[in-house]
Amino acid sequence: MTRTLETLSAPLPHLQPADPAARLILFGIRQMGAQGLDEATAANAFLTAFGVDFRRPLMMLRVLMHELSVAAARPIPIAPWCCPRMTAAEATLVEAMRGFSENPDRSAYLVADLIGVRRADAAVCAMAGVVSAFGDLGLPIRPD
């Protein structure tokens, strides 16, 4: 049986973002998704990135992860933290955060579609908090 590169990368169709803010969020999503909301490695990464002001973005990402898990009608696939590619679900979350400031309605639709519900208001509000916290602390989520 011969495997092609396309076959091997099918579950992980997207490259990780180049933007440091989006990569930090992706790392936090992966760590918290796999290890729980109180995962220490994610907290350490946020402390390294933001210094003493790390608590607000970390807590907002924890709230977002909680809201996504509570509201989701289906599983949200995530890759291991070390994987250089993203699942379609991870790419959708990153895309929703990148475009939140310019078009929050589009981001709300992306999140609702991702988790399989008609409205995802709590998760969208938490996403707004994440985007705001990162921007306020000098690490805005930029489009690629």
Side-chain angles (χ1 to χ4, degrees), residues 14-40:
H14 305 278
L15 289 173
Q16 277 192 11
D19 175 41
R23 288 178 75 99
L24 178 60
I25 288 172
L26 181 62
F27 178 76
I29 288 170
R30 288 176 171 181
Q31 287 298 103
M32 289 180 205
Q35 305 295 326
L37 297 179
D38 292 331
E39 207 283 320

Side-chain angles (χ1 to χ4, degrees), residues 55-65 125-126 128-130 133:
R55 286 177 191 86
R56 180 175 161 221
L58 178 63
M59 286 306 297
M60 293 312 303
L61 187 59
R62 285 177 175 166
V63 170
L64 173 62
M65 293 297 291
C125 287
V130 172

Side-chain angles (χ1 to χ4, degrees), residues 1-142:
M1 176 165 74
T2 305
R3 292 186 182 187
T4 64
L5 183 58
E6 291 174 3
T7 304
L8 294 173
S9 66
L12 302 165
H14 305 278
L15 289 173
Q16 277 192 11
D19 175 41
R23 288 178 75 99
L24 178 60
I25 288 172
L26 181 62
F27 178 76
I29 288 170
R30 288 176 171 181
Q31 287 298 103
M32 289 180 205
Q35 305 295 326
L37 297 179
D38 292 331
E39 207 283 320
T41 308
N44 187 52
F46 276 66
L47 175 63
T48 302
F50 295 110
V52 296
D53 296 324
F54 77 100
R55 286 177 191 86
R56 180 175 161 221
L58 178 63
M59 286 306 297
M60 293 312 303
L61 187 59
R62 285 177 175 166
V63 170
L64 173 62
M65 293 297 291
H66 173 76
E67 292 301 333
L68 289 172
S69 69
V70 168
R74 58 178 167 239
I76 302 170
I78 57 172
W81 69 268
C82 58
C83 189
R85 300 186 66 84
M86 294 188 293
T87 66
E90 291 170 334
T92 299
L93 280 172
V94 169
E95 179 62 29
M97 286 188 217
R98 282 182 173 154
F100 189 85
S101 298
E102 292 80 31
N103 193 345
D105 290 335
R106 179 178 178 272
S107 294
Y109 287 126
L110 286 172
V111 171
D113 186 52
L114 172 69
I115 62 176
V117 298
R118 198 171 284 247
R119 296 186 58 129
D121 295 337
V124 172
C125 287
M127 182 178 290
V130 172
V131 170
S132 174
F134 270 67
D136 291 348
L137 294 173
L139 196 59
I141 305 161
R142 298 190 196 320

